[in-house]
Amino acid sequence: MELRHLRYFAMAAEEENISRASARLHISQPAVSRQIKDLEEELGVQLFERLRDGLKLTAAGNRALVHARHILRKAAELEEAMHPFRGQHTTLTLAVGYIPTALPAGLLRALRIFEKHHANIRVQIQEMTPGQQVQALRDDQLDLILPGMPWSSVTGEFAACVIQKVPMAVAVPADHPLARRPAIDLEHLQGESFVSLHEDQFPGRPELLARIFRRTSISPHIVAKARGLSELLGLVAAGRGVAFAPSDWEHFPHENVVFVELSCPRLTLDLSAVWKRERETPALLSFIQAITQPAAQDVAP
């Protein structure tokens, strides 16, 4: 049980309506409903009667609300008691999750910019797959994640902003006939076998493929799914199939793999930063601003 479960529960009880509670919390309705359901499962009771026009507390819910409000008051008192001790050379931590392809150069530049203005905040970066990042964000183990292209359930649950648009390319084996072309059209991939990333570590891959092929008659034949980026490039190099990838993957080791520009249609990936709006702080917003800042504005000290 975490404080956010109690906050969502108390707000829903006050509003007697999930929609109004989610609006006041600045959280999506499914996220509020899920957290309340998790709390009910953990407590082993039903807190609300779900009515057609809203919510009504059960007897257990009324008793739970008394305790929830008491705990939230005590948590607020603890935070208030710590105010005099803040700013006394305390080092704070901002935890950021990322994948190697999610702007490694941009991330390092952001760290440099951010630390110029926030000497008392240490940014801790952790390499994780997108799936691991989202779970860590839900569990409040991370403050910000850089999962690459977010998928629909993530953008519905969290706050997000695009930090860069990256052109899409096709990774093919070095001895593949398409490797000799400077650019290819999507139709040139008719009949090809495809290698993709596994959904449990890289959610949203089926959404991405559906978006790529929605205007064609091609139905991609997926022959293998990798659980990591190196594994994906290894499968392509071994001739198992071709794969869609951001064009900036060219900067990573890719022996026996060639990246071919996709010219028609020209597709881009929206690489995004994702965070919990209820845990938004000035420092977090400042770091997001730093990572979206163009390289030309990075002034050396």
Short mmCIF file of all heavy atoms in Angstrom, two decimals, residues 14-67:
data_model
loop_
_atom_site.label_atom_id
_atom_site.label_comp_id
_atom_site.label_asym_id
_atom_site.label_seq_id
_atom_site.Cartn_x
_atom_site.Cartn_y
_atom_site.Cartn_z
N GLU A 14 -14.42 11.80 -1.91
CA GLU A 14 -14.87 13.19 -1.79
C GLU A 14 -15.74 13.59 -2.97
O GLU A 14 -16.77 14.26 -2.81
CB GLU A 14 -13.66 14.12 -1.69
CG GLU A 14 -14.01 15.59 -1.54
CD GLU A 14 -12.78 16.47 -1.38
OE1 GLU A 14 -11.74 15.97 -0.90
OE2 GLU A 14 -12.86 17.66 -1.75
N GLU A 15 -15.34 13.18 -4.17
CA GLU A 15 -16.06 13.57 -5.38
C GLU A 15 -17.24 12.64 -5.70
O GLU A 15 -18.13 13.01 -6.46
CB GLU A 15 -15.11 13.60 -6.57
CG GLU A 15 -14.07 14.70 -6.52
CD GLU A 15 -14.69 16.09 -6.62
OE1 GLU A 15 -15.79 16.21 -7.21
OE2 GLU A 15 -14.11 17.04 -6.08
N GLU A 16 -17.19 11.41 -5.14
CA GLU A 16 -18.19 10.39 -5.44
C GLU A 16 -18.31 10.14 -6.94
O GLU A 16 -19.37 9.80 -7.46
CB GLU A 16 -19.56 10.79 -4.86
CG GLU A 16 -19.57 10.91 -3.34
CD GLU A 16 -20.94 11.22 -2.78
OE1 GLU A 16 -21.76 11.81 -3.53
OE2 GLU A 16 -21.20 10.85 -1.64
N ASN A 17 -17.17 10.30 -7.63
CA ASN A 17 -17.18 10.16 -9.08
C ASN A 17 -15.74 10.03 -9.58
O ASN A 17 -14.90 10.87 -9.24
CB ASN A 17 -17.86 11.39 -9.72
CG ASN A 17 -17.96 11.28 -11.23
OD1 ASN A 17 -16.99 11.53 -11.94
ND2 ASN A 17 -19.15 10.91 -11.70
N ILE A 18 -15.46 8.99 -10.35
CA ILE A 18 -14.09 8.75 -10.84
C ILE A 18 -13.65 9.85 -11.80
O ILE A 18 -12.51 10.32 -11.76
CB ILE A 18 -13.99 7.38 -11.54
CG1 ILE A 18 -14.10 6.25 -10.51
CG2 ILE A 18 -12.67 7.25 -12.30
CD1 ILE A 18 -12.93 6.15 -9.57
N SER A 19 -14.56 10.29 -12.66
CA SER A 19 -14.20 11.31 -13.66
C SER A 19 -13.78 12.60 -12.98
O SER A 19 -12.75 13.20 -13.33
CB SER A 19 -15.38 11.55 -14.60
OG SER A 19 -15.06 12.57 -15.52
N ARG A 20 -14.57 13.08 -12.01
CA ARG A 20 -14.22 14.32 -11.33
C ARG A 20 -12.95 14.17 -10.49
O ARG A 20 -12.14 15.08 -10.41
CB ARG A 20 -15.40 14.78 -10.44
CG ARG A 20 -16.61 15.24 -11.24
CD ARG A 20 -17.57 16.02 -10.36
NE ARG A 20 -18.13 15.20 -9.28
CZ ARG A 20 -19.26 14.50 -9.37
NH1 ARG A 20 -19.95 14.51 -10.51
NH2 ARG A 20 -19.71 13.82 -8.34
N ALA A 21 -12.79 12.99 -9.88
CA ALA A 21 -11.58 12.74 -9.09
C ALA A 21 -10.34 12.76 -9.98
O ALA A 21 -9.31 13.36 -9.63
CB ALA A 21 -11.68 11.40 -8.37
N SER A 22 -10.43 12.13 -11.14
CA SER A 22 -9.28 12.09 -12.04
C SER A 22 -8.93 13.49 -12.54
O SER A 22 -7.76 13.83 -12.72
CB SER A 22 -9.54 11.15 -13.21
OG SER A 22 -10.57 11.65 -14.04
N ALA A 23 -9.97 14.33 -12.78
CA ALA A 23 -9.72 15.70 -13.24
C ALA A 23 -8.98 16.50 -12.17
O ALA A 23 -8.05 17.25 -12.47
CB ALA A 23 -11.04 16.37 -13.60
N ARG A 24 -9.37 16.35 -10.90
CA ARG A 24 -8.70 17.08 -9.83
C ARG A 24 -7.29 16.57 -9.57
O ARG A 24 -6.40 17.33 -9.19
CB ARG A 24 -9.53 16.99 -8.55
CG ARG A 24 -10.80 17.83 -8.58
CD ARG A 24 -11.52 17.81 -7.26
NE ARG A 24 -10.69 18.35 -6.18
CZ ARG A 24 -11.06 18.37 -4.90
NH1 ARG A 24 -12.26 17.88 -4.56
NH2 ARG A 24 -10.26 18.87 -3.98
N LEU A 25 -7.09 15.27 -9.80
CA LEU A 25 -5.76 14.68 -9.59
C LEU A 25 -4.85 14.86 -10.80
O LEU A 25 -3.65 14.58 -10.72
CB LEU A 25 -5.91 13.18 -9.29
CG LEU A 25 -6.52 12.81 -7.94
CD1 LEU A 25 -6.97 11.35 -7.95
CD2 LEU A 25 -5.53 13.06 -6.81
N HIS A 26 -5.44 15.26 -11.96
CA HIS A 26 -4.69 15.36 -13.23
C HIS A 26 -4.14 14.00 -13.63
O HIS A 26 -3.01 13.89 -14.12
CB HIS A 26 -3.57 16.40 -13.12
CG HIS A 26 -4.04 17.75 -12.73
ND1 HIS A 26 -4.80 18.55 -13.56
CD2 HIS A 26 -3.87 18.45 -11.58
CE1 HIS A 26 -5.08 19.68 -12.95
NE2 HIS A 26 -4.52 19.65 -11.74
N ILE A 27 -4.92 12.95 -13.39
CA ILE A 27 -4.56 11.58 -13.73
C ILE A 27 -5.69 11.00 -14.57
O ILE A 27 -6.85 11.38 -14.41
CB ILE A 27 -4.37 10.71 -12.46
CG1 ILE A 27 -3.36 11.35 -11.52
CG2 ILE A 27 -3.91 9.30 -12.80
CD1 ILE A 27 -1.98 11.48 -12.08
N SER A 28 -5.37 10.08 -15.47
CA SER A 28 -6.40 9.49 -16.31
C SER A 28 -7.38 8.67 -15.47
O SER A 28 -7.03 8.12 -14.42
CB SER A 28 -5.77 8.60 -17.38
OG SER A 28 -5.21 7.44 -16.81
N GLN A 29 -8.62 8.58 -15.94
CA GLN A 29 -9.64 7.81 -15.23
C GLN A 29 -9.24 6.35 -15.06
O GLN A 29 -9.41 5.80 -13.96
CB GLN A 29 -10.97 7.91 -15.96
CG GLN A 29 -11.59 9.30 -15.93
CD GLN A 29 -12.96 9.34 -16.59
OE1 GLN A 29 -13.77 8.44 -16.41
NE2 GLN A 29 -13.21 10.39 -17.37
N PRO A 30 -8.71 5.66 -16.09
CA PRO A 30 -8.32 4.26 -15.90
C PRO A 30 -7.26 4.10 -14.81
O PRO A 30 -7.28 3.12 -14.07
CB PRO A 30 -7.77 3.85 -17.27
CG PRO A 30 -8.44 4.77 -18.23
CD PRO A 30 -8.60 6.07 -17.51
N ALA A 31 -6.33 5.06 -14.71
CA ALA A 31 -5.28 4.96 -13.70
C ALA A 31 -5.88 5.08 -12.30
O ALA A 31 -5.49 4.34 -11.38
CB ALA A 31 -4.23 6.04 -13.92
N VAL A 32 -6.83 6.01 -12.11
CA VAL A 32 -7.47 6.16 -10.80
C VAL A 32 -8.25 4.90 -10.45
O VAL A 32 -8.16 4.38 -9.33
CB VAL A 32 -8.40 7.40 -10.79
CG1 VAL A 32 -9.17 7.47 -9.47
CG2 VAL A 32 -7.59 8.67 -11.00
N SER A 33 -9.02 4.40 -11.40
CA SER A 33 -9.81 3.19 -11.16
C SER A 33 -8.92 2.01 -10.80
O SER A 33 -9.23 1.22 -9.90
CB SER A 33 -10.65 2.85 -12.40
OG SER A 33 -11.58 3.86 -12.68
N ARG A 34 -7.80 1.88 -11.51
CA ARG A 34 -6.90 0.75 -11.26
C ARG A 34 -6.28 0.83 -9.87
O ARG A 34 -6.19 -0.16 -9.15
CB ARG A 34 -5.79 0.72 -12.32
CG ARG A 34 -4.85 -0.47 -12.16
CD ARG A 34 -3.91 -0.62 -13.35
NE ARG A 34 -3.19 0.59 -13.64
CZ ARG A 34 -3.42 1.37 -14.69
NH1 ARG A 34 -4.39 1.08 -15.54
NH2 ARG A 34 -2.71 2.46 -14.90
N GLN A 35 -5.87 2.04 -9.45
CA GLN A 35 -5.25 2.18 -8.14
C GLN A 35 -6.26 1.88 -7.03
O GLN A 35 -5.91 1.26 -6.01
CB GLN A 35 -4.70 3.60 -7.97
CG GLN A 35 -3.57 3.97 -8.92
CD GLN A 35 -2.31 3.15 -8.67
OE1 GLN A 35 -2.12 2.62 -7.60
NE2 GLN A 35 -1.46 3.06 -9.67
N ILE A 36 -7.51 2.31 -7.20
CA ILE A 36 -8.54 2.01 -6.19
C ILE A 36 -8.81 0.50 -6.16
O ILE A 36 -8.96 -0.09 -5.09
CB ILE A 36 -9.83 2.80 -6.49
CG1 ILE A 36 -9.58 4.29 -6.26
CG2 ILE A 36 -10.98 2.31 -5.62
CD1 ILE A 36 -10.74 5.18 -6.67
N LYS A 37 -8.86 -0.12 -7.33
CA LYS A 37 -9.06 -1.57 -7.38
C LYS A 37 -7.91 -2.29 -6.70
O LYS A 37 -8.12 -3.27 -5.96
CB LYS A 37 -9.18 -2.02 -8.85
CG LYS A 37 -9.54 -3.48 -9.02
CD LYS A 37 -10.94 -3.76 -8.52
CE LYS A 37 -11.34 -5.21 -8.83
NZ LYS A 37 -12.67 -5.53 -8.26
N ASP A 38 -6.68 -1.84 -6.92
CA ASP A 38 -5.52 -2.44 -6.26
C ASP A 38 -5.63 -2.32 -4.75
O ASP A 38 -5.29 -3.25 -4.01
CB ASP A 38 -4.22 -1.77 -6.74
CG ASP A 38 -3.88 -2.13 -8.17
OD1 ASP A 38 -4.48 -3.07 -8.71
OD2 ASP A 38 -3.01 -1.44 -8.76
N LEU A 39 -6.10 -1.15 -4.28
CA LEU A 39 -6.25 -0.94 -2.83
C LEU A 39 -7.31 -1.88 -2.27
O LEU A 39 -7.13 -2.47 -1.19
CB LEU A 39 -6.62 0.51 -2.56
CG LEU A 39 -6.80 0.90 -1.09
CD1 LEU A 39 -5.53 0.66 -0.29
CD2 LEU A 39 -7.22 2.37 -0.97
N GLU A 40 -8.43 -2.04 -2.99
CA GLU A 40 -9.47 -2.95 -2.54
C GLU A 40 -8.96 -4.38 -2.46
O GLU A 40 -9.24 -5.11 -1.50
CB GLU A 40 -10.67 -2.87 -3.49
CG GLU A 40 -11.47 -1.58 -3.39
CD GLU A 40 -12.65 -1.53 -4.34
OE1 GLU A 40 -12.50 -1.99 -5.49
OE2 GLU A 40 -13.71 -1.02 -3.94
N GLU A 41 -8.18 -4.79 -3.45
CA GLU A 41 -7.64 -6.15 -3.45
C GLU A 41 -6.66 -6.35 -2.30
O GLU A 41 -6.64 -7.40 -1.66
CB GLU A 41 -6.96 -6.45 -4.79
CG GLU A 41 -7.96 -6.57 -5.94
CD GLU A 41 -7.29 -6.79 -7.27
OE1 GLU A 41 -6.03 -6.78 -7.32
OE2 GLU A 41 -8.00 -6.98 -8.28
N GLU A 42 -5.85 -5.33 -2.02
CA GLU A 42 -4.88 -5.44 -0.94
C GLU A 42 -5.57 -5.50 0.42
O GLU A 42 -5.16 -6.24 1.32
CB GLU A 42 -3.89 -4.27 -0.99
CG GLU A 42 -2.76 -4.41 0.02
CD GLU A 42 -1.64 -3.41 -0.23
OE1 GLU A 42 -1.65 -2.75 -1.29
OE2 GLU A 42 -0.76 -3.31 0.64
N LEU A 43 -6.64 -4.70 0.60
CA LEU A 43 -7.36 -4.68 1.87
C LEU A 43 -8.34 -5.84 1.99
O LEU A 43 -8.79 -6.18 3.09
CB LEU A 43 -8.12 -3.36 2.02
CG LEU A 43 -7.25 -2.10 2.15
CD1 LEU A 43 -8.14 -0.86 2.17
CD2 LEU A 43 -6.39 -2.15 3.40
N GLY A 44 -8.71 -6.42 0.86
CA GLY A 44 -9.65 -7.54 0.87
C GLY A 44 -11.09 -7.13 1.10
O GLY A 44 -11.89 -7.93 1.59
N VAL A 45 -11.42 -5.89 0.77
CA VAL A 45 -12.79 -5.39 0.95
C VAL A 45 -13.19 -4.57 -0.27
O VAL A 45 -12.35 -4.13 -1.05
CB VAL A 45 -12.92 -4.51 2.22
CG1 VAL A 45 -12.58 -5.30 3.47
CG2 VAL A 45 -12.05 -3.25 2.11
N GLN A 46 -14.50 -4.34 -0.41
CA GLN A 46 -15.01 -3.44 -1.43
C GLN A 46 -15.23 -2.09 -0.80
O GLN A 46 -15.98 -1.95 0.17
CB GLN A 46 -16.32 -3.97 -2.04
CG GLN A 46 -16.84 -3.10 -3.18
CD GLN A 46 -18.08 -3.69 -3.83
OE1 GLN A 46 -18.35 -4.88 -3.70
NE2 GLN A 46 -18.84 -2.85 -4.52
N LEU A 47 -14.56 -1.06 -1.31
CA LEU A 47 -14.63 0.28 -0.73
C LEU A 47 -15.79 1.09 -1.28
O LEU A 47 -16.30 1.97 -0.59
CB LEU A 47 -13.31 1.02 -1.01
CG LEU A 47 -12.05 0.38 -0.39
CD1 LEU A 47 -10.81 1.09 -0.90
CD2 LEU A 47 -12.11 0.42 1.13
N PHE A 48 -16.18 0.82 -2.52
CA PHE A 48 -17.26 1.59 -3.15
C PHE A 48 -18.31 0.67 -3.75
O PHE A 48 -17.99 -0.44 -4.20
CB PHE A 48 -16.70 2.47 -4.28
CG PHE A 48 -15.82 3.60 -3.85
CD1 PHE A 48 -14.46 3.54 -4.06
CD2 PHE A 48 -16.36 4.73 -3.23
CE1 PHE A 48 -13.63 4.58 -3.66
CE2 PHE A 48 -15.54 5.77 -2.84
CZ PHE A 48 -14.17 5.70 -3.05
N GLU A 49 -19.52 1.17 -3.77
CA GLU A 49 -20.54 0.61 -4.65
C GLU A 49 -20.48 1.41 -5.94
O GLU A 49 -20.53 2.64 -5.93
CB GLU A 49 -21.93 0.75 -4.02
CG GLU A 49 -22.16 -0.09 -2.79
CD GLU A 49 -23.57 0.09 -2.25
OE1 GLU A 49 -24.49 0.31 -3.07
OE2 GLU A 49 -23.73 0.04 -1.03
N ARG A 50 -20.32 0.71 -7.08
CA ARG A 50 -20.27 1.38 -8.37
C ARG A 50 -21.69 1.57 -8.89
O ARG A 50 -22.36 0.61 -9.27
CB ARG A 50 -19.45 0.57 -9.37
CG ARG A 50 -17.95 0.83 -9.34
CD ARG A 50 -17.28 0.26 -8.11
NE ARG A 50 -15.80 0.37 -8.20
CZ ARG A 50 -15.00 -0.01 -7.23
NH1 ARG A 50 -15.49 -0.52 -6.10
NH2 ARG A 50 -13.69 0.10 -7.38
N LEU A 51 -22.15 2.81 -8.88
CA LEU A 51 -23.49 3.13 -9.33
C LEU A 51 -23.45 3.69 -10.75
O LEU A 51 -22.40 4.07 -11.25
CB LEU A 51 -24.13 4.16 -8.38
CG LEU A 51 -24.12 3.78 -6.89
CD1 LEU A 51 -24.68 4.93 -6.07
CD2 LEU A 51 -24.90 2.50 -6.65
N ARG A 52 -24.61 3.78 -11.36
CA ARG A 52 -24.67 4.29 -12.73
C ARG A 52 -24.19 5.74 -12.81
O ARG A 52 -23.54 6.14 -13.76
CB ARG A 52 -26.10 4.19 -13.26
CG ARG A 52 -26.25 4.71 -14.69
CD ARG A 52 -27.68 4.57 -15.16
NE ARG A 52 -28.11 3.17 -15.16
CZ ARG A 52 -29.35 2.78 -15.47
NH1 ARG A 52 -30.26 3.68 -15.83
NH2 ARG A 52 -29.68 1.50 -15.45
N ASP A 53 -24.49 6.52 -11.78
CA ASP A 53 -24.16 7.95 -11.82
C ASP A 53 -22.99 8.32 -10.90
O ASP A 53 -22.78 9.49 -10.61
CB ASP A 53 -25.38 8.79 -11.47
CG ASP A 53 -25.96 8.42 -10.10
OD1 ASP A 53 -25.55 7.39 -9.55
OD2 ASP A 53 -26.80 9.18 -9.60
N GLY A 54 -22.25 7.33 -10.40
CA GLY A 54 -21.10 7.67 -9.56
C GLY A 54 -20.73 6.57 -8.59
O GLY A 54 -20.92 5.38 -8.87
N LEU A 55 -20.20 6.96 -7.44
CA LEU A 55 -19.71 6.03 -6.43
C LEU A 55 -20.39 6.29 -5.10
O LEU A 55 -20.77 7.42 -4.79
CB LEU A 55 -18.19 6.21 -6.24
CG LEU A 55 -17.29 6.01 -7.45
CD1 LEU A 55 -15.86 6.41 -7.09
CD2 LEU A 55 -17.32 4.57 -7.94
N LYS A 56 -20.51 5.23 -4.31
CA LYS A 56 -21.03 5.37 -2.95
C LYS A 56 -20.18 4.50 -2.04
O LYS A 56 -19.94 3.32 -2.34
CB LYS A 56 -22.49 4.92 -2.90
CG LYS A 56 -23.09 5.03 -1.50
CD LYS A 56 -24.54 4.54 -1.49
CE LYS A 56 -25.12 4.60 -0.09
NZ LYS A 56 -26.53 4.09 -0.04
N LEU A 57 -19.68 5.07 -0.96
CA LEU A 57 -18.85 4.33 -0.02
C LEU A 57 -19.64 3.20 0.63
O LEU A 57 -20.80 3.38 1.03
CB LEU A 57 -18.30 5.25 1.07
CG LEU A 57 -17.14 6.17 0.69
CD1 LEU A 57 -16.94 7.22 1.76
CD2 LEU A 57 -15.87 5.37 0.46
N THR A 58 -19.00 2.04 0.75
CA THR A 58 -19.57 0.95 1.53
C THR A 58 -19.27 1.21 3.01
O THR A 58 -18.56 2.17 3.36
CB THR A 58 -18.95 -0.38 1.11
OG1 THR A 58 -17.53 -0.34 1.37
CG2 THR A 58 -19.17 -0.65 -0.38
N ALA A 59 -19.77 0.34 3.88
CA ALA A 59 -19.46 0.47 5.31
C ALA A 59 -17.96 0.35 5.53
O ALA A 59 -17.35 1.11 6.30
CB ALA A 59 -20.21 -0.58 6.10
N ALA A 60 -17.33 -0.59 4.82
CA ALA A 60 -15.87 -0.74 4.92
C ALA A 60 -15.17 0.49 4.37
O ALA A 60 -14.14 0.93 4.91
CB ALA A 60 -15.43 -2.00 4.16
N GLY A 61 -15.74 1.06 3.30
CA GLY A 61 -15.14 2.25 2.71
C GLY A 61 -15.17 3.44 3.64
O GLY A 61 -14.20 4.21 3.73
N ASN A 62 -16.28 3.61 4.37
CA ASN A 62 -16.37 4.70 5.34
C ASN A 62 -15.32 4.56 6.44
O ASN A 62 -14.69 5.54 6.83
CB ASN A 62 -17.78 4.74 5.94
CG ASN A 62 -18.75 5.53 5.09
OD1 ASN A 62 -18.56 6.72 4.85
ND2 ASN A 62 -19.80 4.87 4.61
N ARG A 63 -15.15 3.33 6.93
CA ARG A 63 -14.16 3.11 7.98
C ARG A 63 -12.74 3.34 7.42
O ARG A 63 -11.90 3.96 8.08
CB ARG A 63 -14.29 1.68 8.51
CG ARG A 63 -13.26 1.30 9.58
CD ARG A 63 -13.45 2.09 10.86
NE ARG A 63 -14.74 1.81 11.46
CZ ARG A 63 -14.97 0.77 12.29
NH1 ARG A 63 -13.99 -0.05 12.60
NH2 ARG A 63 -16.18 0.60 12.79
N ALA A 64 -12.50 2.86 6.20
CA ALA A 64 -11.18 3.01 5.58
C ALA A 64 -10.85 4.48 5.33
O ALA A 64 -9.69 4.90 5.45
CB ALA A 64 -11.11 2.22 4.27
N LEU A 65 -11.88 5.27 5.00
CA LEU A 65 -11.65 6.68 4.69
C LEU A 65 -11.16 7.44 5.92
O LEU A 65 -10.30 8.32 5.80
CB LEU A 65 -12.94 7.31 4.16
CG LEU A 65 -12.86 8.78 3.74
CD1 LEU A 65 -11.83 8.97 2.63
CD2 LEU A 65 -14.24 9.29 3.29
N VAL A 66 -11.67 7.10 7.09
CA VAL A 66 -11.21 7.74 8.32
C VAL A 66 -9.72 7.50 8.51
O VAL A 66 -8.95 8.44 8.79
CB VAL A 66 -11.99 7.20 9.54
CG1 VAL A 66 -11.39 7.73 10.84
CG2 VAL A 66 -13.46 7.56 9.43
N HIS A 67 -9.29 6.26 8.34
CA HIS A 67 -7.87 5.93 8.50
C HIS A 67 -7.03 6.54 7.38
O HIS A 67 -5.91 7.00 7.63
CB HIS A 67 -7.70 4.41 8.53
CG HIS A 67 -8.25 3.76 9.76
ND1 HIS A 67 -7.59 3.73 10.97
CD2 HIS A 67 -9.44 3.14 9.98
CE1 HIS A 67 -8.32 3.11 11.88
NE2 HIS A 67 -9.47 2.73 11.30
#
